[in-house]
Amino acid sequence: MPVYSAPVQDTLFVINEVLNLEKYHNLPGFEEATPDMIEAILGEAAKLCEEVLHPVNQSGDQEGCVRHEDGSVTTPKGFKEAYQAYKEGGWMGLSADTEYGGQGLPYTLHSAVGEYLISSNMAFSMYPGLTQGAIAAIQVHGSDEQKQTYLPKMIEGIWTGTMNLTEPHCGTDLGMLRTKAVPAGDGSYKISGQKIFISAGEHDLSDNIIHLVLARIEGAPEGTKGISLFIVPKFVLDGDGNPGERNGVTCGSIEEKMGIHANSTCVLNYDDAVGHLIGEENRGLNAMFVMMNEARLGVGLQGLAISEAAYQNAVTYANERIQGRALTGPKFPDKKADPIIVHPDVRRMLLDIKAINEAGRAFMLWTALKGDISHRSASEEERQAADDLMGLLTPIVKGVLTDKGFDNAVKAQQVYGGHGYIEEWGMSQFVRDARIAMIYEGANGIQALDLVGRKLPKDGGRAMQAFLAEVNGFTKQHMENEAMQAFTKPLRQGTKALETATMWLMQNGMKNPDNAGAASTDYMHLMGLVALGYMWGLIAEKAQEALAAGAGDRAEFYENKLVTARYYFERIMPEAQAHLARIESGAESMMALKAEAF
């Protein structure tokens, strides 16, 4: 059976030393987030994930969800008890608004806990994860009555939520959707249509499921300008706001999927279901984007979390599996062979994963902190600057961390050799579960197009200029620091490649839009390399400061950070030049073949 141990100490290092969260105690909700409080919360989250969620991860994958003849769905054995423990612990409301029963703690802390939840049981984590996205959409765009009706019970975990966009004939192109909404004459609407790929669409974990559904009101304009968003509960609420009659929404089937078997990904059929408009008519995408942006950050976290879980198991196996001898001579002469961790290529795979995970964790929490600042700072200038960066980096978090997460799960599986391909060892599940993260909430190719087509030029490139200024400011600050040269010099080279690629896109993307499309994925990953490199620069800086101050029994922890940072800059950052070369090659060869020649 796979193992999992929440990386609490590494998270605390990022939160307390790299991000210095105490510096933000002037922000609402942060005054409660003292180092002691954060450590206690992460410790309790670790217990929940290691002792309750992880033990039902592999069994849940094997058992899957079951749809019954009446359209109801049963989750795998142990999931109801696990959800009850999650709910009773107040985890759903960790960073939610205190006005509706939440604890109001930083979203940064919520993200840290989220990593543990996903690593221990990704399929389970999606039930509360979709709910939190629905909470965000209702809080931003719902009426006061809707907020009072739905948010307290969703934040408490009594009710859960979903997100209904995709239809059989349209995925990313939502302008083609056909689900219709007919005014019922009493302020409500009758919703009819079919939605597919609906995560957590039907289950037995909560008393009600609050579906957020995109639909087109009769007579609305064609395309995306005619889409509205509706709240459609599984059970229609009675006069007291409690679940009453079953609404006209049923699970037609559970999708047969490659992975995340323990999450009920449903085909949902709407047949004159009672729905209530949220936000303005024909402005549904604006409301749904709140949920989608939250979900995209959550999916990026899935990439990191699965990579971490797969890594931990690969390390355990590499230390236990004996096979062959070290190239430089036996390291364990008393044994018939050496553990495979002595082999350089095994170490390459493990260090590739470790270097991405540790920088990815810092990057995820750094971005989450920008989200906190954008919502909680009293300074409009600070809020705007943080919102700019978060908008720019959301495609990087989603696209890069999920691409790397899948790659890393495959590398971890490779460490196992043949055993990695056998289900009982659990590595196959990590690979299968990680694969979906590259696809849903906007496939990664769409994230790359969003980056180069929308985020990069937005507001005259203000966010990109701010990001480059921050990274360049960091390298200049350490220009005379000899101890930092191993980190800042390659970071500067990577940043120069990113600057060159950005200029190339500005000059050639407008001239021929195919150039932007052809460059988009390489550009996204080039920017990801620089962002992760910047995180490693910050980590190395703090590690050196701690060692200089006398780290005591934590000295090895900091020294290991510096070794891994050097590995990242020597072995991973050079990929920046390959991305740049591909970007500058343009679209000509990519677009030259006629369709029938493929």
Side-chain angles (χ1 to χ4, degrees):
M1 181 179 176
V3 299
Y4 176 67
S5 176
V8 173
Q9 291 307 311
D10 200 69
T11 308
L12 289 172
F13 165 67
V14 173
I15 288 176
N16 294 330
E17 298 178 60
V18 178
L19 300 182
N20 190 14
L21 214 65
E22 278 194 294
K23 187 171 70 175
Y24 300 93
H25 276 187
N26 61 311
L27 301 182
F30 276 66
E31 64 276 7
E32 301 290 332
T34 63
D36 287 345
M37 172 68 80
I38 290 171
E39 185 168 5
I41 289 172
L42 293 182
E44 287 302 310
K47 284 183 188 175
L48 173 72
C49 294
E50 294 166 4
E51 299 173 9
V52 180
L53 302 186
H54 172 66
V56 296
N57 185 40
Q58 191 175 31
S59 61
D61 175 67
Q62 294 164 350
E63 183 182 339
C65 295
V66 178
R67 178 189 176 276
H68 305 285
E69 286 188 13
D70 63 356
S72 64
V73 171
T74 303
T75 51
K77 183 180 178 181
F79 268 53
K80 286 185 74 171
E81 294 79 3
Y83 184 78
Q84 188 66 22
Y86 174 88
K87 183 179 73 171
E88 289 177 356
W91 296 106
M92 188 80 82
L94 190 66
S95 64
D97 195 329
T98 54
E99 183 179 349
Y100 304 104
Q103 298 168 53
L105 289 165
Y107 176 70
T108 309
L109 184 56
H110 163 87
S111 297
V113 170
E115 181 198 334
Y116 303 169
L117 291 171
I118 299 163
S119 286
S120 61
N121 197 321
M122 177 169 160
F124 175 90
S125 74
M126 293 170 66
Y127 294 99
L130 271 296
T131 304
Q132 285 153 350
I135 288 169
I138 293 171
Q139 180 148 6
V140 174
H141 290 281
S143 65
D144 288 341
E145 182 182 358
Q146 288 170 338
K147 292 176 188 177
Q148 294 295 340
T149 299
Y150 295 102
L151 291 183
K153 290 185 178 178
M154 294 175 77
I155 287 170
E156 192 176 345
I158 297 173
W159 297 349
T160 53
T162 72
M163 173 174 164
N164 285 234
L165 289 78
T166 307
E167 298 181 8
H169 57 282
C170 71
T172 301
D173 190 355
L174 291 171
M176 296 171 63
L177 71 77
R178 297 172 186 158
T179 300
K180 66 179 181 178
V182 179
D186 60 357
S188 68
Y189 292 78
K190 297 292 185 182
I191 311 297
S192 297
Q194 186 179 77
K195 299 289 185 177
I196 63 171
F197 305 160
I198 307 306
S199 301
E202 172 62 29
H203 55 79
D204 57 354
L205 301 183
S206 62
D207 295 343
N208 206 354
I209 302 174
I210 310 306
H211 302 292
L212 295 196
V213 184
L214 287 180
R216 195 182 304 279
I217 297 173
E218 280 192 323
E222 292 297 315
T224 56
K225 293 182 179 178
I227 297 173
S228 300
L229 183 64
F230 298 87
I231 297 175
V232 186
K234 173 180 173 179
F235 294 101
V236 178
L237 305 187
D238 62 21
D240 296 323
N242 296 314
E245 294 182 1
R246 181 67 190 257
N247 207 351
V249 51
T250 56
C251 172
S253 64
I254 298 176
E255 307 281 10
E256 294 287 340
K257 310 185 297 291
M258 175 179 174
I260 52 170
H261 295 147
N263 192 271
S264 55
T265 309
C266 298
V267 173
L268 291 183
N269 297 318
Y270 290 84
D271 185 12
D272 283 342
V274 177
H276 299 275
L277 181 69
I278 176 171
E280 301 175 39
E281 282 189 19
N282 305 328
R283 300 274 291 169
L285 278 187
N286 287 29
M288 185 57 86
F289 267 122
V290 173
M291 192 170 184
M292 288 172 70
N293 285 333
E294 176 114 356
R296 283 172 177 171
L297 292 169
V299 173
L301 193 58
Q302 288 178 345
L304 165 67
I306 292 295
S307 179
E308 173 65 28
Y311 168 76
Q312 289 188 18
N313 284 274
V315 168
T316 299
Y317 186 83
N319 278 290
E320 294 176 352
R321 173 69 166 173
I322 59 170
Q323 194 82 36
R325 288 297 189 187
L327 298 176
T328 53
K331 297 294 183 282
F332 292 81
D334 56 320
K335 296 182 178 180
K336 293 182 178 179
D338 289 330
I340 61 173
I341 201 164
V342 304
H343 303 305
D345 197 59
V346 171
R347 286 172 166 260
R348 172 189 64 82
M349 292 185 283
L350 293 176
L351 276 165
D352 279 355
I353 306 172
K354 181 178 174 67
I356 296 298
N357 287 356
E358 294 184 14
R361 180 172 298 114
F363 182 44
M364 187 71 223
L365 296 175
W366 184 81
T367 306
L369 179 57
K370 298 298 179 188
D372 276 322
I373 295 169
S374 72
H375 288 106
R376 304 183 190 221
S377 177
S379 163
E380 185 178 346
E381 184 180 352
E382 283 184 2
R383 289 198 308 272
Q384 183 66 68
D387 190 62
D388 282 352
L389 280 174
M390 196 170 186
L392 175 71
L393 296 171
T394 294
I396 309 297
V397 169
K398 198 282 184 185
V400 173
L401 291 186
T402 59
D403 275 355
K404 294 294 186 185
F406 177 74
D407 288 348
N408 289 345
V410 172
K411 285 176 182 173
Q413 184 185 41
Q414 185 74 12
V415 170
Y416 276 70
H419 291 298
Y421 201 64
I422 304 300
E423 288 293 338
E424 69 178 276
W425 290 85
M427 301 310 288
S428 170
Q429 183 185 352
F430 294 133
V431 173
R432 290 184 285 103
D433 286 356
R435 187 64 185 89
I436 185 56
M438 303 160 73
I439 299 171
Y440 58 17
E441 302 308 336
N444 286 356
I446 300 296
Q447 301 301 321
L449 286 174
D450 178 47
L451 175 64
V452 301
R454 294 179 64 242
K455 301 300 175 63
L456 201 57
K458 189 179 181 219
D459 301 314
R462 183 174 69 200
M464 188 61 182
Q465 290 169 24
F467 175 74
L468 290 171
E470 182 163 344
V471 178
N472 285 329
F474 175 80
T475 54
K476 287 176 182 175
Q477 175 190 343
H478 293 286
M479 195 174 291
E480 305 301 324
N481 184 346
E482 187 63 33
M484 285 291 290
Q485 293 302 300
F487 316 113
T488 54
K489 186 176 178 181
L491 176 57
R492 179 65 194 129
Q493 290 170 343
T495 308
K496 282 182 178 178
L498 179 59
E499 291 168 337
T500 302
T502 305
M503 289 299 297
W504 188 92
L505 275 174
M506 289 173 61
Q507 293 164 3
N508 296 278
M510 292 288 287
K511 189 189 307 178
N512 179 2
D514 280 342
N515 281 330
S520 59
T521 292
D522 278 295
Y523 187 86
M524 178 179 74
H525 278 280
L526 171 53
M527 191 167 170
L529 285 172
V530 173
L532 294 176
Y534 178 40
M535 294 302 108
W536 270 120
L538 295 174
I539 290 168
E541 176 187 50
K542 297 303 178 184
Q544 288 188 345
E545 287 176 2
L547 288 167
D553 59 2
R554 284 177 57 81
E556 187 176 3
F557 175 88
Y558 295 115
E559 288 164 356
N560 289 341
K561 292 295 180 192
L562 295 176
V563 171
T564 311
R566 285 204 310 275
Y567 181 89
Y568 179 87
F569 285 114
E570 290 174 6
R571 304 281 303 198
I572 298 177
M573 183 59 89
E575 294 170 14
Q577 302 307 319
H579 287 303
L580 176 59
R582 287 196 287 263
I583 289 167
E584 292 182 327
S585 73
E588 186 177 352
S589 64
M590 191 178 291
M591 306 306 293
L593 277 182
K594 293 179 180 179
E596 57 269 24
F598 279 87

